[in-house]
Amino acid sequence: GICGALYRESLPLAAAISDVHVITSVKSGKITFDTGFTTLPAGTYRLEAEISEGGKVVQTFSSELFTVKKGKNIRHSFGGLWNDPKLWDIDIPQNLYVADVKLLSAEGEILDRFLPQEFGFREFSIDGRDFYLNGKKLRIRGLNRHQSYPYVGYAMPESMQKRDADILKNELGVNAVRTSHYPQSRHFVERCDELGLLVFTEIPGWQHIGDEIWKKQVVENVKDMVEQYRNHP
């Protein structure tokens, strides 16, 4: 039977946003919204993103009008400069924003509105053997969660998932955790955002899979996994 949460989704018949990747650059002071579409008929459109903090809108970004011809896997990126965002860091994890991205017609009618995306304005980079977060060298105190620490299953209650993250950060004193490639609970990841706990996860491989159908399924699973978690700081 079903041992986890089950969700039903409804999509507009004509035009629907499939995913939004919020890309932040501390170095250039820029934010980009890479937006994909499940369906998007030929026509002229505009995208808009409202950024809120604590329920209050603090920034708005709009795209120019863009024209779409008939096709598949359509994406459109827009954004702009943001010179003074509150940066998310492992020491200041409370700096979280929510992006509300909308698709509008050329006349300004709202055609679709994507699910709110919580994110942190941050930039992670690697230079040689060193890790950097927002331009500052990062000293990682990590833990291999699915070997060194009891794995809390995906179907465990929300309170236990959050407690798991609290133990890692506050009792064991780590600032990063490596998880298995199995799906992580949304509640666990959201709590890591709030605590300033970095999450490293494995991407499932398919090199050893001989069946082409299963390979395709693994690729789809990886795509879904990346889209689900990439906006979490």
Side-chain angles (χ1 to χ4, degrees):
I2 298 170
C3 59
L6 179 64
Y7 300 92
R8 295 181 64 186
E9 294 183 0
S10 62
L11 295 175
L13 293 176
I17 299 173
S18 62
D19 65 282
V20 175
H21 185 191
V22 183
I23 305 169
T24 54
S25 174
V26 174
K27 185 176 181 180
S28 60
K30 185 178 180 180
I31 187 168
T32 303
F33 305 91
D34 179 27
T35 309
F37 302 92
T38 304
T39 57
L40 191 61
T44 301
Y45 304 93
R46 184 169 62 84
L47 284 161
E48 182 178 278
E50 286 185 346
I51 309 300
S52 60
E53 180 187 19
K56 180 181 179 181
V57 176
V58 293
Q59 285 283 350
T60 301
F61 298 91
S62 298
S63 74
E64 301 290 338
L65 289 174
F66 63 97
T67 300
V68 171
K69 297 181 179 179
K70 186 177 180 180
K72 296 182 179 179
N73 301 321
I74 297 170
R75 304 194 68 83
H76 189 78
S77 294
F78 70 104
L81 296 177
W82 190 357
N83 296 321
D84 59 347
K86 295 179 180 179
L87 301 184
W88 184 94
D89 198 293
I90 57 175
D91 298 319
I92 43 173
Q94 66 272 19
N95 291 341
L96 291 167
Y97 294 103
V98 175
D100 181 14
V101 177
K102 294 173 283 189
L103 174 68
L104 298 90
S105 67
E107 294 75 30
E109 176 189 1
I110 297 178
L111 303 176
D112 190 25
R113 191 172 196 160
F114 196 59
L115 296 171
Q117 296 295 297
E118 189 173 64
F119 72 97
F121 202 106
R122 82 290 189 199
E123 186 168 15
F124 180 81
S125 59
I126 302 174
D127 184 7
R129 299 175 58 184
D130 296 322
F131 295 152
Y132 290 85
L133 182 61
N134 302 335
K136 298 183 295 184
K137 187 176 289 189
L138 180 65
R139 303 293 185 184
I140 290 181
R141 303 184 304 276
L143 185 71
N144 193 345
R145 180 173 179 255
H146 70 286
Q147 292 181 5
S148 303
Y149 188 74
Y151 177 74
V152 177
Y154 184 77
M156 296 298 285
E158 176 182 349
S159 59
M160 293 188 66
Q161 291 284 356
K162 291 186 174 181
R163 175 60 178 158
D164 185 26
D166 287 339
I167 291 173
L168 290 166
K169 178 72 175 186
N170 299 324
E171 297 184 21
L172 299 184
V174 301
N175 60 16
V177 56
R178 172 180 174 264
T179 70
S180 71
H181 63 257
Y182 296 102
Q184 303 302 309
S185 164
R186 173 175 60 86
H187 306 302
F188 174 78
V189 177
E190 288 176 350
R191 186 58 178 159
C192 288
D193 292 346
E194 297 169 354
L195 292 171
L197 185 63
L198 300 174
V199 178
F200 295 85
T201 190
E202 299 173 0
I203 294 295
W206 60 85
Q207 293 85 350
H208 63 287
I209 302 176
D211 193 307
E212 290 299 323
I213 296 178
W214 280 108
K215 282 184 180 180
K216 183 178 179 181
Q217 185 61 55
V218 170
V219 172
E220 286 298 315
N221 289 346
V222 170
K223 179 177 178 292
D224 292 342
M225 179 180 174
V226 170
E227 289 181 356
Q228 184 174 358
Y229 296 116
R230 63 189 173 188
N231 290 333
H232 289 275

